[in-house]
């Protein structure tokens, strides 16, 4: 059946009539162009449905951020119901000064009451509910998320970069970004660097250096700024065997925290451009539904359901990165100063 605005509203009315949670007023506004968003959407952050003549439906949050595309009536109704219960739970939480039950669990339970299949779909984090979410079964803060809180303040470093591929060398990655070759060759550690720079402010040292190593399948590199003129582009990384990169960047003064994922030199972002972590709100999938980053939507939903004790969205997001991609950082090595480190070559030049 080709989806029309009338068909959507009739189907929604049938669902709402059988539910004590929904009503016609909750159905998202619709239009034939994203440009109509500001005219018809009462809430600037609400869901807006754009209907094509061929029956394709595009979901939008704002006029320029598409969040799903489908020709499946059930999927459109599901996304409308997901939006409705999310707003109900958010309203409950705000009206009870944060004393409501776990937001995501309550969303799932409400969707169960409307349609058990929709509750399962919500819990999976995907668009069809076919994936079974398996609990991670471990401390959510142990491998990567331990750094999330301090990283928001650019501590210990502004940039967290990860590289994966065939026989990727941590030393070569550090050299490519401008690390001092002599210090790389001697196997300098963070504790050695601090001792060598005794008497100087540690903050200054951090801005002129990097830490690096391997954790799991990934090589990691942490730094504030690379030397001027240094550019580790796709061609250079490819020569080192790198096929995937993840880059997290924090600019605390401007409240900008972004995430970049590339595979075979191609940025994975569904055409959104810069992906900011602060876009993520608990209970709302942050990325395009059914898109290239939908695996992260699913990992984030698993984190939300598995770990209701994590109330910070940065903790949840970082745990999802760990769960979905296997990212991790050596907390104890950084604490003990045994992680590999080096000054940037230009920072070290001319030192007596």
């Amino acid at each position: 059946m080709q989806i029309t605005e009338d068909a959507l509203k009739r189907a929604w009315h049938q669902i709402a009539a059988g539910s004590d949670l929904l009503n016609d007023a909750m159905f998202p506004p619709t239009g034939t162009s994203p440009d109509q968003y500001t005219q018809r959407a009462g809430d600037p952050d609400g869901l807006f449905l754009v209907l094509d003549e061929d029956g394709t439906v595009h979901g939008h949050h704002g006029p320029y951020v598409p969040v799903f595309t489908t020709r499946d009536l059930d999927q459109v109704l599901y996304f409308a119901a997901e939006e409705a219960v999310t707003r109900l739970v958010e309203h409950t939480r705000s009206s009870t000064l944060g004393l409501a039950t776990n937001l995501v669990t309550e969303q799932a339970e409400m969707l169960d009451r409307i349609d058990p299949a929709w509750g399962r779909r919500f819990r999976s984090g995907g668009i069809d509910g076919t994936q079974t979410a398996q609990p991670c079964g471990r401390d959510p803060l142990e491998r990567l998320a331990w750094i999330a809180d301090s990283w928001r303040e650019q501590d210990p470093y502004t940039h967290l970069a990860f590289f994966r591929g065939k026989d990727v060398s941590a030393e070569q990655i550090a050299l490519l970004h401008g690390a001092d070759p002599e210090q790389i060759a001697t196997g300098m550690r963070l504790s050695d660097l601090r001792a060598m720079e005794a008497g100087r402010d540690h903050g200054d040292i951090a801005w002129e250096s990097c830490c690096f190593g391997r954790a799991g399948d990934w090589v990691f590199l942490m730094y504030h700024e690379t030397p001027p003129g240094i550019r580790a582009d796709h061609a250079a990384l490819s020569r080192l065997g790198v096929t995937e990169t993840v880059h997290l960047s924090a600019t605390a003064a401007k409240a900008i925290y972004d995430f970049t994922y590339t595979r075979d030199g191609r940025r994975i972002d569904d055409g959104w451009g810069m992906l900011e972590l602060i876009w993520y709100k608990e209970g709302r999938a942050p990325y395009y539904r059914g898109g290239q980053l939908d695996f992260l939507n699913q990992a984030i939903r698993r984190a939300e359901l598995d770990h209701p004790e994590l109330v910070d969205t940065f903790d949840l997001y970082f745990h999802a990165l760990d769960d979905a991609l296997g990212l991790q950082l050596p907390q104890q090595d950084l604490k003990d100063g045994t992680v590999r480190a080096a000054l940037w070559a230009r920072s070290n030049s001319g030192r007596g």
Side-chain angles (χ1 to χ4, degrees):
M1 181 187 74
Q2 181 170 314
I3 300 176
T4 64
E5 183 173 355
D6 182 61
L8 271 176
K9 291 184 175 180
R10 281 190 285 106
W12 180 260
H13 179 73
Q14 290 179 349
I15 293 169
S19 169
D20 60 343
L21 294 171
L22 303 177
N23 57 62
D24 288 337
M26 289 181 178
F27 189 73
T30 62
T32 56
S33 167
D35 296 334
Q36 297 169 334
Y37 185 94
T38 53
Q39 303 169 23
R40 303 195 182 184
D43 187 331
D45 296 320
L47 180 64
F48 181 65
L49 302 178
V50 177
L51 278 68
D52 291 345
E53 290 184 359
D54 66 358
T56 302
V57 181
H58 309 270
H60 285 256
H61 280 294
Y64 308 113
V65 183
V67 291
F68 70 83
T69 299
T70 184
R71 300 184 70 177
D72 184 318
L73 177 62
D74 179 69
Q75 282 192 357
V76 179
L77 295 172
Y78 166 76
F79 286 128
E82 184 184 87
E83 176 78 6
V85 301
T86 298
R87 293 199 170 276
L88 280 171
V89 177
E90 288 175 343
H91 175 72
T92 301
R93 173 174 282 191
S94 64
S95 64
T96 56
L97 301 178
L99 299 178
T101 57
N102 178 262
L103 185 147
V104 181
T105 299
E106 192 167 347
Q107 285 172 276
E109 290 173 350
M110 284 186 175
L111 286 165
D112 281 337
R113 286 165 56 185
I114 301 167
D115 185 335
W118 286 0
R120 291 192 296 271
R121 185 181 302 180
F122 179 80
R123 288 183 177 89
S124 78
I127 62 172
D128 55 14
T130 57
Q131 292 91 354
T132 301
Q134 298 296 327
C136 71
R138 54 184 169 77
D139 182 347
L141 302 179
E142 67 181 356
R143 302 203 311 181
L144 180 68
W146 65 268
I147 205 171
D149 185 52
S150 67
W151 177 77
R152 282 194 293 187
E153 301 301 323
Q154 301 176 205
D155 179 28
Y157 290 95
T158 302
H159 298 273
L160 308 178
F162 301 85
F163 310 85
R164 182 161 66 176
K166 183 178 180 181
D167 301 324
V168 179
S169 163
E171 290 81 3
Q172 290 299 316
I173 291 292
L175 288 169
L176 180 65
H177 286 78
D180 184 277
E182 182 178 346
Q183 293 176 354
I184 295 290
T186 59
M188 178 172 284
R189 306 284 172 175
L190 181 58
S191 57
D192 300 325
L193 183 61
R194 289 171 177 168
M196 185 181 74
E197 298 297 313
R200 295 188 63 206
D201 183 83
H202 174 61
D204 292 338
I205 300 168
W207 282 91
E208 298 176 359
S209 66
C210 65
C211 287
F212 63 94
R214 175 176 291 277
D217 295 335
W218 296 83
V219 163
F220 65 86
L221 180 73
M222 299 184 290
Y223 59 92
H224 283 302
E225 293 178 349
T226 55
I230 295 295
R231 184 184 177 193
D233 58 17
H234 167 61
L237 289 169
S238 182
R239 287 192 291 271
L240 297 181
V242 174
T243 57
E244 289 178 90
T245 68
V246 173
H247 184 198
L248 294 156
S249 174
T251 308
K254 297 182 178 180
I256 296 176
Y257 307 92
D258 62 71
F259 159 79
T260 304
Y261 176 45
T262 66
R263 190 186 304 134
D264 297 322
R266 186 173 64 87
R267 185 169 177 149
I268 308 299
D269 63 6
D270 292 307
W272 280 18
M274 189 172 81
L275 304 173
E276 285 199 67
L277 273 64
I278 56 175
W279 285 352
Y280 163 53
K281 295 181 180 180
E282 186 182 3
R284 291 181 175 270
Y287 301 120
Y288 191 82
R289 311 299 290 275
Q292 298 177 89
L293 289 172
D294 206 37
F295 71 95
L296 269 181
N297 289 332
Q298 295 167 41
I300 287 170
R301 183 56 39 77
R302 287 196 295 271
E304 292 170 336
L305 291 169
D306 289 353
H307 301 289
E309 75 277 12
L310 296 184
V311 296
D312 187 282
T313 54
F314 277 72
D315 289 346
L316 286 164
Y317 188 97
F318 271 55
H319 177 62
L321 287 175
D322 166 10
D323 190 49
L325 292 168
L327 300 180
Q328 51 188 294
L329 288 169
Q331 182 177 16
Q332 195 62 44
D333 289 352
L334 276 164
K335 180 179 179 180
D336 296 341
T338 57
V339 67
R340 294 288 302 277
L343 288 167
W344 297 129
R346 296 187 184 185
S347 299
N348 199 32
S349 61
R351 294 176 183 270

